[in-house]
Amino acid sequence: MKIANNYENNPRKHVTARHYRSDGMNFILRAVSIGVLGALTSFSQAQTLGGASGPAGDATKVEKCDAFKGTLAVVEPQDVVLQSLQGIGLGSPSGMIRLIIQQSNCFQIVERGAAFQNMMQERQLAAGGQLQGGQNMGQGQMVAADFVITPSVVFSNPNAGGVGGGLLGGLGGGRLGMIGAIAGGLKFKEAQTSMIMSDARSGLQVTAAEGSAQKTDFNIGGVLFGGGGGAALGGYTSTAEGKIVAASFLDNWNKIVLSIRNNPSLIQAHAGAASQANAAGSARAGAGNAGDVYVAKIAGVKVFRSASEGAELMSLSKTDEVIFEGEEDAGFMKVATPRGSGWVKAIMMRKQ
């Protein structure tokens, strides 16, 4: 009882007691803060290019080729991918991907993006006679794409565990809440990308690869420009989310390069044996249907007695009509003529 009275009657002692309690809490807060920051540092250092499966490439360089292997067009990602990127403040990755490909020296890039509309506009102006004379703008000048790249992006669950999602998620507000926001501010834990490269002529898939990254201190501007450049890449160099996506695409492209760099021929002109057998047994999408009427594209087209340039049956004028009998062989089509059945080169005929 005496102790209680003395405590109540001594305001200074009361204040001192509160002061000690306040200092004790501050000490605890500082200790926890230091521990959290240490955990964040370890977490940051543990982040790797290549994602959960481990390192998959060197984030400081672009894998290169000794010489161009053809021309390549980058396809815009699907709308659902673009919407996901817009949700984290990022635009289309096509420009950034094209810069990576250009730095690799493996392919020449053909424009099939937003600037393509402007290129077609110039040609329309030329066709309409609106351009000055001697501008040399018209048909037959654009280079074909030998290959096309189709990119895609997915993001892992932001609550997939780790220091940011586990320890800091329940620390509450105040200073610890701010620290938690720094670590848990990323809208996803990992970016995973894929690229599919196809032969533009045959439509066959040449190669495909996946990339992933969890790295937030990646400087793609420095990688591509040899310094701190890359302002044109926008959010892909200025935000943590953008840097992770960029690192994943670099990892992705480096894997593509490693798979094609020593390939003497990327083009598979023909499908496999099974595919060829299926095609041979299917309805043919050739010259047309039996009974269709054809005329020669030019005068003097020869009709042969067999599917080869051998004995001639007759020559056709541009007005002579023949009937397709439904058979094709080695680029020749069998036709009925006033002098009997014969074979003519399909490329020399057009349907009436």
Side-chain angles (χ1 to χ4, degrees), residues 102-122:
Q102 179 178 326
Q103 291 292 323
S104 73
N105 196 49
C106 293
F107 296 93
Q108 291 180 294
I109 308 297
V110 295
E111 176 59 65
R112 294 296 185 269
F116 184 76
Q117 301 300 324
N118 300 98
M119 294 164 58
M120 297 308 298
Q121 183 181 44
E122 292 302 307

Side-chain angles (χ1 to χ4, degrees), residues 149-171:
I149 279 282
T150 305
S152 184
V153 189
V154 295
F155 307 110
S156 68
N157 186 346
N159 299 318
V163 175
L167 174 62
L168 299 181
L171 289 178

Side-chain angles (χ1 to χ4, degrees), residues 63-72 101-109 146-147 197 253 256-258 260-266:
E63 293 289 343
K64 299 183 181 295
C65 297
D66 294 332
F68 292 132
K69 293 183 175 295
T71 55
L72 183 143
I101 296 173
Q102 179 178 326
Q103 291 292 323
S104 73
N105 196 49
C106 293
F107 296 93
Q108 291 180 294
I109 308 297
D146 296 320
F147 305 97
M197 188 167 78
W253 178 251
I256 292 280
V257 174
L258 292 175
I260 58 94
R261 184 162 55 189
N262 297 321
N263 188 345
S265 176
L266 298 178

Side-chain angles (χ1 to χ4, degrees), residues 318-342:
K318 293 184 66 173
T319 58
D320 289 334
E321 296 179 337
V322 296
I323 298 175
F324 178 45
E325 295 188 359
E327 294 184 49
E328 293 181 74
D329 186 9
F332 287 83
M333 55 188 294
K334 190 174 184 179
V335 295
T337 75
R339 298 188 182 181
S341 295

